[in-house]
Amino acid sequence: MAYWIYDKAAEEEKQKQKEENDDDDEPIFNQAILSACKSATDIISLREALQNEVANKYSIGFGISFGIAYGKVYMGDVGTSNSSHYTLVGHSVNLVRGLEGVAPSGDIYVDEAAAAEVSEVVSFSKVKQKILKHSKTDVYKIEGYKD
């Protein structure tokens, strides 16, 4: 499983500062989400190459899918001083888990907020049906990258 989470509040502040200092007309998009999209795409490409090698040698297959969501998360140690662990909690954590869980092998599903952040450079197709039981967000599949 792969989870891509980003702190929306910190990114919004960074974006605001960039807009105040940016005089040119270049598109503004969320670099962290774009990096997550490209990394997931690269891993899926590597999986396809490895799949051919593994299938020929061992007659088995394996799948990889990704979910990418954008929103606020809370992170830190949870538990007591004797037994604690570092964790992430929040709606975005649950959402990305759901996206990754329902995406078919080889696909990257992205929530509506993440898709909006990088729509100037990433091509998406909308997943037609509501596939997440406890979320009203629209779901998109990465189709490629714009020039």
Side-chain angles (χ1 to χ4, degrees), residues 5-113:
I5 308 284
Y6 199 72
D7 182 353
K8 185 175 183 177
E11 183 60 30
E12 286 173 349
E13 181 60 32
K14 187 173 149 184
Q15 192 85 347
K16 184 178 175 185
Q17 290 176 356
K18 182 176 180 179
E19 287 173 6
E20 290 172 358
N21 297 328
D22 199 5
D23 293 333
D24 56 22
D25 291 334
E26 287 190 30
I28 297 172
F29 52 85
N30 189 309
Q31 190 63 42
I33 294 174
L34 181 60
S35 294
C37 293
K38 287 186 174 183
S39 295
T41 302
D42 290 346
I43 291 169
I44 287 174
S45 296
L46 290 171
R47 175 242 171 232
E48 290 169 359
L50 184 60
Q51 174 63 37
N52 293 333
E53 200 173 305
V54 170
N56 291 338
K57 190 171 185 179
Y58 300 105
S59 298
I60 60 171
F62 63 96
I64 298 174
S65 59
F66 288 90
I68 300 172
Y70 182 60
K72 187 176 279 192
V73 298
Y74 302 93
M75 57 186 169
D77 291 318
V78 174
T80 66
S81 59
N82 292 336
S83 175
S84 68
H85 60 278
Y86 196 78
T87 191
L88 297 169
V89 294
H91 175 72
S92 294
V93 176
N94 297 330
L95 183 57
V96 77
R97 186 170 158 235
L99 290 168
E100 182 270 334
V102 298
S105 179
D107 284 351
I108 305 164
Y109 279 6
V110 179
D111 77 328
E112 188 173 10

